[in-house]
Amino acid sequence: MNPSTSGAPGKNYLLVTGILLVIFSVYSLFGIIPALILSLASLSLGMVGVILLLATLVASASVIINFIAGIMGIINREKPEKAKACMGLGITMLVIAGLNLIASSGAGEFSFFSTLCGLVLPILYTVGASKNKAAAQQSGNF
């Protein structure tokens, strides 16, 4: 058994969720880029255009955070000493998913399935980071 990989019990969580986050983020970028262009064009509508642009920027930030978290999870999956950064990104994704849940509920567009899907990856990512963090604390590499 390779000692560098045996000390990272959350590596599979971070690898799988990291790959899925990168795939979904790249896919989402294909929708976000045209939305940014259209929202910039809608600025001539006044306040409605500004609100549309702000909403698009928030969605863009969410996609970028998910992409960065995915890359960090893939790269640092076997490095328990880097679990703190992954934990922070996982919690950030959970907060964003929670805010999305609140916003969709307030808009009357609550869907149990989409909420479940939106929370699963951040939860599993955070669990993997938590396992690596615990392993790093036990080995004293934290």
Side-chain angles (χ1 to χ4, degrees):
M1 183 178 272
N2 189 351
S4 67
T5 59
S6 65
K11 68 179 180 178
N12 291 332
Y13 286 95
L14 290 174
L15 177 63
V16 172
T17 57
I19 290 170
L20 290 173
L21 284 168
V22 168
I23 290 169
F24 294 149
S25 296
V26 168
Y27 177 74
S28 295
L29 282 175
F30 288 114
I32 292 290
I33 292 171
L36 276 171
I37 293 169
L38 289 173
S39 63
L40 286 172
S42 70
L43 285 176
S44 64
L45 297 174
M47 193 59 163
V48 173
V50 172
I51 292 172
L52 181 61
L53 178 62
L54 288 174
T56 307
L57 290 174
V58 169
S60 300
S62 174
V63 169
I64 291 168
I65 289 169
N66 287 347
F67 182 76
I68 292 169
I71 296 293
M72 292 289 289
I74 294 168
I75 292 172
N76 296 323
R77 70 184 180 272
E78 294 179 354
K79 301 175 187 171
E81 64 275 5
K82 301 285 186 174
K84 197 174 197 178
C86 290
M87 247 337 242
L89 286 167
I91 291 169
T92 302
M93 288 188 301
L94 282 171
V95 168
I96 291 171
L99 291 174
N100 188 24
L101 170 66
I102 292 168
S104 66
S105 296
E109 298 176 5
F110 179 77
S111 167
F112 179 75
F113 183 73
S114 65
T115 300
L116 182 66
C117 290
L119 288 172
V120 167
L121 286 179
I123 288 171
L124 292 175
Y125 185 94
T126 306
V127 167
S130 176
K131 287 182 176 219
N132 280 359
K133 182 180 175 185
Q137 288 174 336
Q138 284 181 348
S139 68
N141 290 336
F142 203 57

